Amino acid sequence: MLSVVVAPWGPSSHPRLRGGEPVFVRGPDALHDAASTMKVAVLAALYRSGTDLDAEVPVVNRFVSAVGGEYGNDRAWDSDPQPWALLGGVAPLRVLAERMITHSSNLATNLCLAQVGHGAVAEVWRRAGATHSATPRGIEDYPARDRGVHNRVSALDLVRLLRSLAGEPELLALLERNVFRVDLAAGLPPGTRIAFKNGWIPGARHSVGLVYPGDCPPYLIAVCYTGPLASGEDEADPAARLLARISAAVWARRAELHGPGPGG
């Protein structure tokens, strides 16, 4: 299952396109396992909560399940060793939020989520205008998953989520520092600015980004893939190459995304 949504970041110059609406969609509302793309919603919830981001919180690996009881993260499945090195100590929320995005730390994500709660994350999705996506449980909350509680996203809702950060440049700047320069980023010319978050698990590979070309206005792109190509590897994933090819194809037509200019 492949979903793609492409949209201009700002108003379109084309008379038939209303400001910011998608110019290309394929399966825009199809639901996929969220993987790590849900971390963008957790980030927004944390920053909007008014919590002191410089406050230090205990670094633990026990979390309350969405269905009661507790669960923990598996160090072997985490792409970021740094928060694990702090286990048993404390860390500033700002540092945890950064590692959640730049290195896709699962442990840091659950620590941030524990601070704001699922209700605040649901409000982020609501404010973004999402119609299908939800984040009712933490990462690796397998007791909840086994009882049918799933984190789901659609490509269209991911575009809406990123667009909702338009007035929060600090969050977009953080997304630009994502170290996993694969999938969408790999389909762009070297050095192209992109604020993005990707996610991968066995069977699914997704990415949503705001691309800043130097020769035309920025645009949004979300690609969600669920299927056998997704190996679950962070970088050496065949599905990541598929997303890169889609990104490159959109880049090649970037000048058309806002419609023709005067006289076009």
Side-chain angles (χ1 to χ4, degrees):
M1 179 167 58
L2 179 66
S3 301
V4 183
V5 173
V6 181
W9 176 243
S12 171
S13 61
H14 195 290
R16 292 193 299 272
L17 297 175
R18 288 183 290 172
E21 288 197 349
V23 295
F24 178 84
V25 297
R26 173 192 168 114
D29 295 319
L31 286 176
H32 301 257
D33 190 301
S36 290
T37 57
M38 50 80 74
K39 294 171 182 176
V40 179
V42 176
L43 177 72
L46 182 64
Y47 270 70
R48 294 171 185 173
S49 68
T51 302
D52 180 4
L53 297 180
D54 294 314
E56 294 189 329
V57 298
V59 179
V60 298
N61 188 28
R62 300 308 301 170
F63 306 101
V64 178
S65 170
V67 294
E70 293 185 330
Y71 71 99
N73 289 120
D74 184 343
R75 187 192 298 249
W77 280 99
D78 205 329
S79 58
D80 184 14
Q82 180 172 306
W84 290 92
L86 303 173
L87 198 62
V90 296
L93 276 171
R94 191 182 305 277
V95 171
L96 294 173
E98 177 179 351
R99 301 301 293 196
M100 170 176 68
I101 297 300
T102 61
H103 290 72
S104 207
S105 168
N106 291 339
L107 181 61
T109 300
N110 282 341
L111 290 166
C112 291
L113 183 57
Q115 292 297 309
V116 295
H118 293 284
V121 180
E123 176 61 14
V124 168
W125 285 114
R126 189 197 67 78
R127 284 180 54 185
T131 56
H132 295 80
S133 302
T135 311
R137 65 171 176 85
I139 293 179
E140 297 177 63
D141 183 353
Y142 298 136
R145 183 196 64 181
D146 293 344
R147 290 175 59 176
V149 180
H150 300 291
N151 294 330
R152 302 291 198 200
V153 295
S154 72
L156 182 55
D157 283 346
L158 286 174
V159 162
R160 289 166 171 157
L161 176 61
L162 216 58
R163 187 184 298 284
S164 74
L165 306 184
E168 298 165 285
E170 184 177 1
L171 304 192
L172 292 173
L174 192 53
L175 289 165
E176 284 194 58
R177 291 161 53 193
N178 182 350
V179 302
F180 293 100
R181 315 301 289 186
V182 288
D183 42 64
L184 294 184
L188 304 173
T192 302
R193 287 179 62 198
I194 177 173
F196 74 115
K197 185 71 191 78
N198 32 22
W200 54 89
I201 57 174
R205 183 91 194 193
H206 318 313
S207 193
V208 57
L210 169 60
V211 181
Y212 300 90
D215 57 356
C216 62
Y219 63 89
L220 292 157
I221 176 172
V223 184
C224 298
Y225 169 81
T226 298
L229 283 179
S231 67
E233 297 177 83
D234 52 8
E235 296 180 334
D237 181 356
R241 295 193 290 273
L242 170 64
L243 269 63
R245 291 197 296 271
I246 294 171
S247 179
V250 173
W251 171 266
R253 302 186 64 176
R254 64 194 179 281
E256 304 171 31
L257 301 182
H258 285 70

